[in-house]
Amino acid sequence: MAAVLFDFSGTLFRAESAASWLRAALDETGHALSEPELAATARALEAAGALPGGAEPVELPADLAAVWAVRDESAALHRAAYTGLSRRVPLPDPGLHDALYERHMSPAAWTPYPDAEKVLRTLRGRGIGVGVVSNIGWDLRPVFREHGLDAYVDAYVLSYEHGVQKPDPRLFAVACEALDADPRRVLMVGDNRAADGGATTLGCRVHFVDHLPAAQRPDALLPVLDLVG
C-alpha cells in the first residue's frame, strides 16, 4: 500500500457525549440546568441527532430532509442542518443552539481513539502517505493539531471545501491525487459502510471499524498496520 485514508469522526476521533456537549455549552454561556433537566435535555438532543459526530436523528423532520441530505457540502448547510435539529429541543436560551454548534468544533469536544497516535506514527515511519477524508462542515485541522496528530497527516480532504461528500468517488480521487497514490494501492479506513465504501469505486481497499466510545475501542485501528504490510 502506498497510502492510507482515514475518516475522522468514529474512526480516528470520537465526539464527546451529548451530556458533556450540553454541559460545556451551558458553562460557556453562563446558563444552568439541574442535573435531571440536563440529563433529559441531553437525551432529547441525542435523539434529535443534533450532535455532529453523534447519533443520527431517530426521526428526521420533513422540513430538514433536503438540507440533511447535502449537509456536508458546505459550512452553511452543515450549520443549518444541525442547528435546525437542535432547535427541536427547548433550551433555556435560543442562543444556546449556536453555542452548541460552536462547541462541537472545539478540540476539547473530541478524543482520539487510544491507538490512533500509534497507527499514524507507524505509518509515517514506514513512509506510507496518510490522508484524512471527512464528510464535515468545518475545519478539523485544529483538532488534529491540539491532540498532536497533525504531524502524521499529509493531506486533509474535507467535503465542505470541495462541495462534494462521500460516497462520491470524486472526494477519494482528490485525496489520492494529493498523496500522489494510485487508488489501487490505497486503503480507506472508516466506520460508515455506505459513505466510506465509496472508495471501492476507484479501486481502493476498504477496512471498517465500529463507531464506539473511545474507552470501548482501544485497538480497532491496529489491524491497519498488518493490512498495509
Side-chain angles (χ1 to χ4, degrees):
M1 290 291 167
V4 181
L5 307 178
F6 291 92
D7 174 52
F8 167 57
S9 175
T11 300
L12 289 176
F13 283 82
R14 170 77 179 198
E16 66 185 330
S17 69
S20 172
W21 175 54
L22 175 59
R23 189 185 304 277
L26 290 168
D27 290 345
E28 289 164 6
T29 57
H31 292 87
L33 290 172
S34 69
E35 285 302 313
E37 288 175 322
L38 190 148
T41 303
R43 288 194 296 270
L45 286 166
E46 186 169 24
L51 172 59
E56 294 203 350
V58 172
E59 184 176 349
L60 182 64
D63 61 320
L64 288 177
V67 69
W68 179 259
V70 294
R71 64 192 180 280
D72 296 311
E73 293 184 5
S74 77
L77 289 168
H78 195 268
R79 181 182 285 270
Y82 283 102
T83 57
L85 290 171
S86 73
R87 287 190 173 94
R88 270 32 187 203
V89 179
L91 295 177
D93 186 307
L96 277 166
H97 298 289
D98 285 317
L100 284 169
Y101 188 82
E102 294 297 325
R103 166 65 187 183
H104 103 273
M105 296 187 286
S106 166
W110 297 90
T111 300
Y113 280 95
D115 52 351
E117 192 274 340
K118 177 180 180 179
V119 169
L120 295 178
R121 174 169 42 82
T122 302
L123 292 174
R124 169 54 58 86
R126 293 182 185 177
I128 295 172
V130 171
V132 173
V133 183
S134 177
N135 278 353
I136 200 165
W138 50 277
D139 186 4
L140 52 71
R141 295 172 182 86
V143 176
F144 280 77
R145 287 196 293 269
E146 181 70 20
H147 290 281
L149 300 185
D150 179 65
Y152 306 121
V153 179
D154 300 296
Y156 295 92
V157 179
L158 312 181
S159 60
Y160 84 102
E161 294 182 337
H162 298 275
V164 62
Q165 60 189 34
K166 298 182 288 187
D168 193 311
R170 288 177 291 175
L171 207 62
F172 303 105
V174 169
C176 291
E177 183 176 354
L179 296 171
D180 193 25
D182 183 332
R184 294 169 296 182
R185 299 185 61 218
V186 171
L187 175 68
M188 174 67 205
V189 183
D191 67 297
N192 187 307
R193 281 164 171 74
D196 299 313
T200 60
T201 304
L202 296 180
C204 300
R205 291 181 62 187
V206 181
H207 176 69
F208 295 109
V209 294
D210 293 324
H211 190 155
L212 294 171
Q216 297 178 25
R217 214 198 74 190
D219 53 12
L221 292 169
L222 293 179
V224 170
L225 300 178
D226 294 326
L227 291 172
V228 299

